[in-house]
Amino acid sequence: MVYNLPLRWKPCSPHPPSYPTSPSATSSTPVIPGAVEKMTTVSKESDVDVLIIGAGPAGLMCANALAMAGVNVRIVDQRPAKVPAGQADGIQPRTIEVFQSYGLGERLLREGNQMHMAAFYNPSPSGGIERTSRAPDVNAPSARYPFEVTLHQGAIESIFLDSMKAHGVVVERPIVPTSLELSESEEELKDANARPVKVVLKYLDPPADAGDSEIVHAKFVLGADGAHSWVRKTLGITLDGEQTDYIWGVVDMVPDTDFPDIRAKSAVHSHNGSCMVIPREGDLVRLYIQLADRDVVDPVTGRVDKSRMGPERLIEVAKKSFAPYRIDNAEGHFDWWTLYIIGQRVAAQFSVHERVFIAGDACHTHSPKAGQGMNASMNDTHNLAWKLTHVLRGWADISLLKTYELERRKYAQDLINFDKQFSKLFSGKPRTEESQDGVTHEEFLEAFQTFGLFTSGIGVHYEPSPITADHYQAAASKLIVGERLVPHDFIRAADARPYNIQDLLPSDARFKVLIFVGNTPDKAQAARVQMLADEMVRPDRFLVRFGKGHSAKVFDVWSISSAKKQDVNYIDLPPLFRPHWSHVLLDDTDMYACAGGGGYDAYGIDKQEGAIVIVRPDGYVGMVAPFERVKDVDAYFASFMTRA
Amino acid sequence: MVYNLPLRWKPCSPHPPSYPTSPSATSSTPVIPGAVEKMTTVSKESDVDVLIIGAGPAGLMCANALAMAGVNVRIVDQRPAKVPAGQADGIQPRTIEVFQSYGLGERLLREGNQMHMAAFYNPSPSGGIERTSRAPDVNAPSARYPFEVTLHQGAIESIFLDSMKAHGVVVERPIVPTSLELSESEEELKDANARPVKVVLKYLDPPADAGDSEIVHAKFVLGADGAHSWVRKTLGITLDGEQTDYIWGVVDMVPDTDFPDIRAKSAVHSHNGSCMVIPREGDLVRLYIQLADRDVVDPVTGRVDKSRMGPERLIEVAKKSFAPYRIDNAEGHFDWWTLYIIGQRVAAQFSVHERVFIAGDACHTHSPKAGQGMNASMNDTHNLAWKLTHVLRGWADISLLKTYELERRKYAQDLINFDKQFSKLFSGKPRTEESQDGVTHEEFLEAFQTFGLFTSGIGVHYEPSPITADHYQAAASKLIVGERLVPHDFIRAADARPYNIQDLLPSDARFKVLIFVGNTPDKAQAARVQMLADEMVRPDRFLVRFGKGHSAKVFDVWSISSAKKQDVNYIDLPPLFRPHWSHVLLDDTDMYACAGGGGYDAYGIDKQEGAIVIVRPDGYVGMVAPFERVKDVDAYFASFMTRA
């Protein structure tokens, strides 16, 4: 993602940085040149459960998830309003699934452009470029939405803002933090109800009759404040990694062109440099344009100088790549533009004492062209939000929060490794007559497809931990523990209505307990199912033990039969496995043979015997087990949940 | 539909009817006993293009369509607020398509229940009932939405009300018309810009400082004021048909039951009467319960007496049919209930001089159990709205409006004929040991399936007329002229995104000109396509002749190639056939082979040669023709459109 670009490039800029700074609780706070100290008047002091600093995609995903869960949360941002245009714009298939899990997928799909097709252009022997092939943009067979959505960041932020507002949470702005102190008392740090974090907020546009700052005592703080994160710097967390030599320009405009693949994700490798086309909402198109040092580097200082390059000049560079096709700006204005050098870095830690967290660009920076940045950011906090909710509700031990860094830092490292390979391929010279050591189209296409599972977000795999227990993986051999629940259509027994199972398991902070009840019309199996129900209803089993007297708030129980719609009555299942008539599903086709069927096979579950599948509140498979191992399912929950 | 029930049954009721009446322009106005005349003070006099009387489903469909088209429209209703519960609740597959064509399908599907499955219960030899089979609820293979949506009428009205409001139109209420006069001047009647209708409106809750009535001069008036239509009576239009002997009760409630098919459309024929189950939004269920004369008829007067029957007694009657299954009211209250006798009537005419129209229940009454009423009503005005729009914009001759009665009265007659057969079957005794002349399950099921095309609304077929010209039917042998455009998935050439073609052809008052351009990569065919474009761009051809200098407002042009996505560049088609990059479609699968392909076959169009298809603004096929017959397409439009 491309935030605050001039700052990154001009550390000696005469302008003050975006965030004013002040002496903080940690000694390693970097002092940014030009920071201005002012007298502040404290107008109030307040308590909050979660304070989020930064209302970009990472902060908003978290704020919305917590607002929907009814958690006491505040979110502040330094900007007086949300970004109007440009910035990040690509939503990957897995992220669409995540939006949908919060009930926000419909609007995202309505407003965004869908990118289904990739096109590859390479140097033509006769000069200029020619199309080598068209191919699917997404290479992840189980993706529920096999395409990317492109939409400008402001529109994406609005989706969250509107949803949060309906739950009573709005972004407070413009506000910056000026100090952050974390208690060193071990007792306080271990007590989920304590407020060990003290943050001073400064109102940049305070009401006339009040002071301009506020002391906030928070149980937890999230720094989602971008690549130049004040929270990260204040905590003294370092970014490991380095800057590359690849320099790119980005321009958003409505094109006037005869290039036939202007509405596809087109990778253009020419004799005269590389471009990437990203079609956007409406008629907008984003161009990524590779630049040479001579285009942007000041020969005297050796530094990148943004004043040497404007959007018109970027188009001039692009035109050379697109020839013989014509490309112009149709409207005389540019929606947005920027320049960047790819930096590939990961934060050394993602939290301090599981009380202050960082997420999004504050944790990882990389190239924007594979469209990962905003997705990684939002999935960071999608991972964190339910864990905070469980701890704050007293359902889970505070140690659950350690799994955030465990899961998301590993992912960020994988992302940087991928980015290094992809950037090298994309920014490298194409193979031509004259350049025999260049990258061949076959190499590029192969990488594009190999990386498909990763870039789509579908392949994200969390390692074994207290919340991902894979010892009985064979019970559902294709529902990989640590990966997201594979979407599949099932029908409801009561009314034969087909549903994608993902839509029945929303991100509502509940663990989903899926009882694949097998071949229920068979009497022996029906008896096994009844035995399982009798076992699971016992007070020492997890539903009661960790259900806190309101089991349905913590656990959402579903049953899925492998039998046919003519043979199953939902009413015949044990009441524990049908808390509502809608909670009995069948692995059968709908009345019109349009949807459903094949689910047990797709999940690798035995159609006679069934299995137990535990899905985490974020949609990832936490555990699978045969009926006989319900004791181990208890142990799974006991490893991080607290007793009634 | 079941409006104002006590009135229909008690013509000598001491209560005044819902609509006050007054001497009207026509001499045949029936004087309803009990009508009260009051002095009114005229507060203002105003002009309007279209005045709609009645804000039920028929009136609201019309008001919303006209509001979206920017037509000057007002809508008034006697009720102080929309209906809170009960009433009509079934939306048929074709009506869902129509909602979707106005951009309202998403919300309808989000809020409503989907009825996919029908279940049939019959007398068991051992007493009680048993399930004979489960079957698809909808029997219409081309239905895009193969299910019925059930949702209470108030929620359906809200969908229109919110959409209209966004276009600046709200229902004015409580207001009743007290007189209606239609000019007898032929000159005025023929002039689409004249306002030959004078209506006096009376405000039932007038502002304190103003008069309580208003004189409105309208170009057109629509009476969508229900089965007891004041407009119909005022115009002296008779209802032809008769009342049956079938008496039914209806009750909406949340059931507590062990009946396994309570979430299916269940037809229950028992030794002790018949019931029908209609599952609804949330956990609500509607029961239709057959009643015997003894249950409801006063033995002294011989009349139906509603006081003899309440919802609790209806449930007692139902219980006898459901045995051995148990059914109770889970919540102690009833959402809604009513009684009705099936009347089967059609109005003798649907308009007077194409200046005052009636629609919906004002035109036709029939049994509610096949779920047709609200659908017929909304499709009446869906048919009318675009015609009014074209005439008011000066695009079409006023004679176009004659096709409203032509098309919709024929449909209403078909509906009554269907209803007679269906009601007889459903209300008749089931075949049992004792009752050998009863209706067999096979007879019932066969009728249920045979009528499927009709009841789904998919089979509606408008006869040849100026707007349905079927002389070149062979050019697209499976796109039947007079029937709705068959939904099918195509992909866009520019970005391979799949679309159902219905979503690209919204109800926006434009005629859709679909050029099936055939096998465009073939040079000979490309030349034919170019010739067609050269021909169609001529000033004596319909696009220019009837385009009024803003052809794109009247006609929406699309091209659909039969070639493959690797071989077609949208940019290669003649500019006339690609007014925007999004308007070039392909009959090919998407990048993931999930959608698309087979469209030319499904439409019966030659893949090499192509065809021209004209789709009316309401989504019905108006004409199909080979390329060579573009002159006849001109003639089609010339038969009802006006020159620039």
Side-chain angles (χ1 to χ4, degrees):
Chain A
M1 227 144 345
V2 193
Y3 282 123
N4 298 324
L5 191 71
L7 274 184
R8 197 191 305 182
W9 289 8
K10 303 181 189 170
C12 296
S13 158
H15 304 293
S18 308
Y19 285 129
T21 55
S22 74
S24 83
T26 65
S27 57
S28 62
T29 312
V31 177
I32 298 184
V36 180
E37 271 306 294
K38 270 194 193 172
M39 286 298 291
T40 59
T41 47
V42 174
S43 56
K44 58 176 173 174
E45 194 155 351
S46 62
D47 291 343
V48 73
D49 285 359
V50 181
L51 173 66
I52 299 172
I53 296 167
L60 290 173
M61 168 67 83
C62 192
N64 179 60
L66 294 178
M68 288 178 71
V71 168
N72 174 230
V73 59
R74 284 176 65 187
I75 176 168
V76 300
D77 195 275
Q78 63 162 346
R79 296 170 297 186
K82 72 180 171 67
V83 295
Q87 309 279 20
D89 63 0
I91 304 283
Q92 298 295 343
R94 170 57 191 158
T95 312
I96 308 173
E97 293 178 5
V98 171
F99 267 72
Q100 176 72 356
S101 78
Y102 289 99
L104 306 176
E106 223 172 62
R107 176 161 163 194
L108 179 71
L109 295 180
R110 191 166 55 234
E111 296 185 7
N113 175 64
Q114 293 182 13
M115 207 155 60
H116 288 252
M117 185 159 68
F120 301 92
Y121 282 77
N122 282 291
S124 164
S126 58
I129 53 170
E130 63 184 9
R131 183 168 65 228
T132 314
S133 71
R134 285 168 171 162
D137 177 47
V138 168
N139 293 282
S142 83
R144 179 172 177 195
Y145 308 98
F147 49 82
E148 293 176 73
V149 166
T150 53
L151 183 62
H152 78 89
Q153 186 174 324
I156 290 161
E157 292 180 5
S158 288
I159 296 175
F160 287 122
L161 293 171
D162 291 345
S163 170
M164 282 159 53
K165 198 174 172 189
H167 291 88
V169 177
V170 295
V171 177
E172 300 167 55
R173 53 171 106 221
I175 290 176
V176 292
T178 55
S179 83
L180 185 155
E181 287 172 43
L182 181 57
S183 166
E184 288 176 8
S185 150
E186 286 217 8
E187 198 181 346
E188 230 186 319
L189 289 173
K190 276 185 183 161
D191 174 8
N193 288 315
R195 294 192 178 80
V197 203
K198 179 180 159 190
V199 178
V200 178
L201 297 179
K202 185 181 160 90
Y203 292 77
L204 299 184
D205 188 12
D209 55 348
D212 65 355
S213 75
E214 177 183 358
I215 295 170
V216 180
H217 300 278
K219 291 179 180 168
F220 300 97
V221 169
L222 172 66
D225 49 350
H228 302 278
S229 173
W230 176 90
V231 174
R232 185 188 70 226
K233 290 170 185 164
T234 300
L235 295 172
I237 296 173
T238 56
L239 275 181
D240 304 335
E242 57 208 27
Q243 189 162 296
T244 68
D245 293 332
Y246 309 127
I247 308 174
W248 289 77
V250 188
V251 59
D252 292 349
M253 66 173 190
V254 174
D256 172 16
T257 184
D258 59 0
F259 180 69
D261 287 286
I262 196 69
R263 298 304 305 178
K265 181 204 263 180
S266 293
V268 177
H269 290 105
S270 80
H271 295 281
N272 305 303
S274 297
C275 283
M276 182 168 249
V277 176
I278 305 288
R280 285 262 302 275
E281 67 274 19
D283 292 339
L284 268 184
V285 166
R286 167 167 290 188
L287 297 181
Y288 286 99
I289 301 151
Q290 187 174 28
L291 300 174
D293 281 3
R294 63 170 181 281
D295 295 326
V296 284
V297 173
D298 182 323
V300 178
T301 65
R303 291 184 185 279
V304 168
D305 176 6
K306 206 182 173 187
S307 70
R308 304 174 75 86
M309 178 59 74
E312 292 83 1
R313 283 216 46 217
L314 281 174
I315 299 301
E316 291 309 314
V317 176
K319 279 177 185 252
K320 291 179 198 156
S321 298
F322 277 93
Y325 297 104
R326 181 178 57 73
I327 186 157
D328 287 296
N329 180 359
E331 296 192 327
H333 77 274
F334 296 91
D335 206 54
W336 189 73
W337 78 281
T338 196
L339 302 178
Y340 66 91
I341 298 185
I342 299 173
Q344 291 163 330
R345 297 186 180 90
V346 180
Q349 55 191 102
F350 279 25
S351 97
V352 173
H353 293 314
E354 286 80 62
R355 286 298 193 165
V356 185
F357 301 88
I358 53 174
D361 287 0
C363 301
H364 35 72
T365 67
H366 39 83
S367 82
K369 282 187 312 303
Q372 296 304 304
M374 181 161 54
N375 296 274
S377 296
M378 294 191 291
N379 281 295
D380 281 347
T381 51
H382 171 59
N383 181 288
L384 178 63
W386 72 269
K387 296 171 183 175
L388 285 172
T389 302
H390 274 237
V391 169
L392 285 165
R393 285 180 180 170
W395 294 351
D397 187 81
I398 199 165
S399 63
L400 171 64
L401 297 172
K402 286 185 191 294
T403 63
Y404 167 64
E405 176 172 311
L406 183 79
E407 297 187 328
R408 295 306 299 175
R409 189 159 184 275
K410 165 74 165 55
Y411 169 76
Q413 288 170 321
D414 292 348
L415 178 57
I416 300 305
N417 289 335
F418 151 76
D419 194 53
K420 284 182 180 168
Q421 298 175 63
F422 189 74
S423 293
K424 203 170 162 185
L425 275 173
F426 197 88
S427 298
K429 276 245 167 230
R431 174 87 62 103
T432 57
E433 285 282 309
E434 309 85 57
S435 165
Q436 284 293 329
D437 57 344
V439 180
T440 66
H441 173 61
E442 288 66 32
E443 283 169 345
F444 187 75
L445 187 61
E446 195 191 322
F448 186 78
Q449 287 167 347
T450 306
F451 292 138
L453 263 186
F454 189 83
T455 54
S456 65
I458 301 300
V460 170
H461 182 107
Y462 295 139
E463 297 297 314
S465 78
I467 53 173
T468 47
D470 65 359
H471 32 299
Y472 300 117
Q473 180 68 72
S477 61
K478 295 176 188 167
L479 281 186
I480 307 300
V481 173
E483 300 192 0
R484 69 93 164 83
L485 180 73
V486 176
H488 197 88
D489 289 339
F490 293 88
I491 65 169
R492 290 200 299 212
D495 63 1
R497 175 173 174 176
Y499 273 96
N500 191 299
I501 195 167
Q502 284 193 343
D503 285 342
L504 301 174
L505 311 179
S507 291
D508 61 0
R510 291 191 290 180
F511 274 86
K512 312 304 185 301
V513 179
L514 310 185
I515 312 294
F516 286 83
V517 289
N519 181 23
T520 40
D522 176 80
K523 282 190 181 170
Q525 179 64 11
R528 283 187 74 232
V529 170
Q530 186 60 55
M531 267 179 58
L532 180 66
D534 293 344
E535 178 76 21
M536 284 179 68
V537 87
R538 283 169 44 186
D540 56 334
R541 291 286 172 239
F542 71 92
L543 285 178
V544 183
R545 194 168 154 204
F546 304 114
K548 318 276 171 189
H550 41 68
S551 169
K553 281 193 184 171
V554 186
F555 302 104
D556 191 18
V557 180
W558 293 79
S559 53
I560 302 109
S561 169
S562 63
K564 297 293 158 199
K565 54 189 171 287
Q566 295 286 353
D567 303 329
V568 179
N569 293 326
Y570 78 95
I571 202 96
D572 295 338
L573 284 169
L576 184 71
F577 295 162
R578 51 172 173 93
H580 188 259
W581 60 262
S582 61
H583 279 224
V584 181
L585 307 179
L586 302 180
D587 184 19
D588 194 6
T589 55
D590 74 348
M591 301 310 290
Y592 312 95
C594 290
Y600 271 65
D601 286 341
Y603 287 179
I605 296 174
D606 186 282
K607 283 180 208 161
Q608 176 66 25
E609 302 264 314
I612 302 169
V613 173
I614 306 298
V615 181
R616 299 166 18 166
D618 56 2
Y620 288 75
V621 179
M623 187 184 192
V624 301
F627 284 14
E628 290 68 27
R629 296 300 179 175
V630 64
K631 222 174 178 173
D632 294 286
V633 182
D634 289 341
Y636 167 83
F637 285 110
S639 75
F640 60 91
M641 294 197 102
T642 56
R643 272 169 189 278
Chain B
M1 229 145 342
V2 192
Y3 282 123
N4 298 325
L5 192 74
L7 274 183
R8 197 191 306 184
W9 289 8
K10 301 180 190 172
C12 295
S13 158
H15 304 292
S18 308
Y19 285 127
T21 54
S22 75
S24 83
T26 63
S27 56
S28 62
T29 311
V31 177
I32 298 184
V36 180
E37 271 305 297
K38 270 196 194 172
M39 285 298 291
T40 60
T41 47
V42 173
S43 57
K44 57 176 176 176
E45 194 154 352
S46 62
D47 290 343
V48 73
D49 285 359
V50 181
L51 174 66
I52 300 172
I53 297 167
L60 289 174
M61 169 68 83
C62 193
N64 179 60
L66 295 177
M68 287 178 72
V71 168
N72 175 232
V73 59
R74 284 176 66 187
I75 175 167
V76 301
D77 195 275
Q78 63 160 343
R79 296 169 297 184
K82 72 182 169 64
V83 294
Q87 309 279 20
D89 63 1
I91 304 285
Q92 298 295 343
R94 171 56 190 159
T95 312
I96 308 174
E97 293 179 6
V98 171
F99 268 72
Q100 177 71 356
S101 78
Y102 289 99
L104 306 176
E106 222 172 62
R107 176 163 163 192
L108 179 70
L109 296 180
R110 192 166 54 232
E111 296 186 6
N113 176 65
Q114 294 182 12
M115 208 155 58
H116 288 253
M117 184 160 69
F120 302 92
Y121 282 76
N122 283 291
S124 163
S126 58
I129 53 170
E130 61 184 9
R131 183 168 66 226
T132 315
S133 71
R134 285 169 171 162
D137 178 48
V138 167
N139 294 281
S142 84
R144 179 173 176 194
Y145 307 98
F147 49 83
E148 293 176 72
V149 166
T150 53
L151 183 62
H152 79 88
Q153 186 174 323
I156 290 161
E157 291 180 8
S158 288
I159 296 175
F160 288 122
L161 292 171
D162 291 345
S163 171
M164 283 159 54
K165 198 175 172 188
H167 292 88
V169 177
V170 294
V171 179
E172 300 168 56
R173 53 171 104 219
I175 289 175
V176 293
T178 55
S179 84
L180 185 157
E181 288 174 42
L182 180 57
S183 165
E184 289 176 8
S185 150
E186 286 217 8
E187 197 180 345
E188 229 184 321
L189 290 174
K190 276 186 183 160
D191 174 8
N193 288 317
R195 293 191 180 79
V197 202
K198 179 179 158 191
V199 178
V200 178
L201 297 179
K202 184 179 161 87
Y203 294 75
L204 298 185
D205 187 12
D209 55 346
D212 65 355
S213 76
E214 176 182 357
I215 295 171
V216 180
H217 300 277
K219 291 179 181 169
F220 300 98
V221 169
L222 172 65
D225 48 351
H228 302 279
S229 172
W230 176 90
V231 175
R232 185 189 70 226
K233 290 170 185 166
T234 301
L235 295 172
I237 297 173
T238 55
L239 276 182
D240 303 334
E242 57 210 29
Q243 188 162 298
T244 67
D245 293 331
Y246 309 126
I247 309 175
W248 288 78
V250 187
V251 59
D252 292 348
M253 66 173 188
V254 174
D256 171 16
T257 183
D258 59 359
F259 181 68
D261 287 285
I262 196 70
R263 298 302 307 177
K265 183 203 261 179
S266 294
V268 177
H269 290 104
S270 80
H271 296 282
N272 304 304
S274 297
C275 283
M276 182 168 250
V277 175
I278 304 286
R280 285 261 302 275
E281 68 273 18
D283 293 338
L284 268 183
V285 165
R286 168 167 290 188
L287 298 180
Y288 287 100
I289 301 152
Q290 188 174 27
L291 300 174
D293 281 4
R294 64 173 181 278
D295 295 325
V296 284
V297 173
D298 182 324
V300 179
T301 65
R303 289 184 187 281
V304 168
D305 177 6
K306 207 183 173 187
S307 69
R308 304 173 75 86
M309 178 58 73
E312 291 84 2
R313 281 215 50 216
L314 281 174
I315 299 301
E316 292 307 315
V317 176
K319 278 174 185 255
K320 290 178 198 157
S321 297
F322 276 93
Y325 298 104
R326 181 178 57 75
I327 187 159
D328 287 296
N329 180 359
E331 297 192 327
H333 78 272
F334 295 90
D335 206 55
W336 189 72
W337 77 281
T338 195
L339 301 178
Y340 65 90
I341 296 185
I342 299 174
Q344 291 162 329
R345 298 187 179 90
V346 180
Q349 55 191 102
F350 279 24
S351 97
V352 174
H353 295 312
E354 288 76 65
R355 287 297 193 164
V356 185
F357 301 88
I358 52 173
D361 288 2
C363 298
H364 36 72
T365 67
H366 40 84
S367 82
K369 280 184 316 302
Q372 295 304 304
M374 181 162 53
N375 295 274
S377 296
M378 294 191 290
N379 281 295
D380 281 348
T381 51
H382 172 60
N383 182 287
L384 178 62
W386 73 268
K387 296 171 183 175
L388 286 172
T389 301
H390 274 237
V391 170
L392 284 166
R393 285 182 180 168
W395 293 351
D397 188 81
I398 199 165
S399 64
L400 171 65
L401 297 172
K402 286 185 192 293
T403 63
Y404 166 65
E405 177 172 311
L406 183 78
E407 298 188 328
R408 295 305 299 176
R409 189 161 184 274
K410 165 75 164 54
Y411 169 77
Q413 288 169 322
D414 292 347
L415 177 58
I416 301 304
N417 290 336
F418 150 76
D419 194 54
K420 283 181 181 168
Q421 298 175 64
F422 189 75
S423 294
K424 203 171 162 185
L425 275 175
F426 196 88
S427 299
K429 274 243 169 237
R431 175 86 62 101
T432 58
E433 285 283 306
E434 310 83 58
S435 164
Q436 284 293 330
D437 57 343
V439 180
T440 68
H441 173 63
E442 287 66 33
E443 284 169 346
F444 186 74
L445 187 60
E446 196 191 320
F448 185 77
Q449 287 168 346
T450 306
F451 292 140
L453 262 186
F454 189 83
T455 54
S456 65
I458 300 300
V460 169
H461 181 107
Y462 295 138
E463 298 296 316
S465 79
I467 52 174
T468 47
D470 64 359
H471 31 299
Y472 299 116
Q473 182 67 73
S477 60
K478 296 175 188 168
L479 281 185
I480 307 300
V481 173
E483 300 191 2
R484 69 93 163 82
L485 180 73
V486 176
H488 197 88
D489 288 340
F490 293 88
I491 64 169
R492 290 201 298 213
D495 63 0
R497 175 174 173 174
Y499 272 95
N500 192 300
I501 195 168
Q502 284 192 345
D503 285 341
L504 301 175
L505 312 179
S507 292
D508 61 1
R510 292 191 288 181
F511 274 87
K512 311 304 185 300
V513 180
L514 311 185
I515 313 293
F516 285 83
V517 289
N519 181 23
T520 40
D522 177 82
K523 281 190 179 169
Q525 179 64 9
R528 284 186 75 231
V529 170
Q530 186 59 54
M531 268 180 57
L532 181 66
D534 293 345
E535 178 77 20
M536 284 180 67
V537 87
R538 283 170 44 188
D540 56 333
R541 291 286 172 239
F542 71 92
L543 285 179
V544 183
R545 193 168 155 207
F546 303 114
K548 317 276 171 192
H550 41 67
S551 168
K553 281 192 184 174
V554 186
F555 301 105
D556 190 19
V557 180
W558 293 77
S559 53
I560 302 111
S561 168
S562 64
K564 296 295 159 200
K565 54 187 171 288
Q566 294 288 353
D567 303 329
V568 179
N569 292 326
Y570 78 94
I571 203 97
D572 295 339
L573 285 168
L576 185 71
F577 295 161
R578 51 172 173 94
H580 187 259
W581 61 260
S582 62
H583 279 224
V584 181
L585 306 179
L586 301 181
D587 184 21
D588 194 7
T589 55
D590 75 347
M591 301 309 292
Y592 311 96
C594 291
Y600 271 66
D601 287 340
Y603 287 179
I605 297 175
D606 186 283
K607 283 179 210 164
Q608 176 66 25
E609 302 264 311
I612 302 169
V613 173
I614 306 297
V615 181
R616 299 165 21 165
D618 56 2
Y620 287 76
V621 179
M623 186 184 192
V624 302
F627 283 15
E628 290 67 29
R629 297 300 180 174
V630 64
K631 222 174 178 171
D632 293 286
V633 182
D634 289 341
Y636 167 83
F637 285 111
S639 74
F640 60 90
M641 293 197 102
T642 55
R643 270 171 189 278

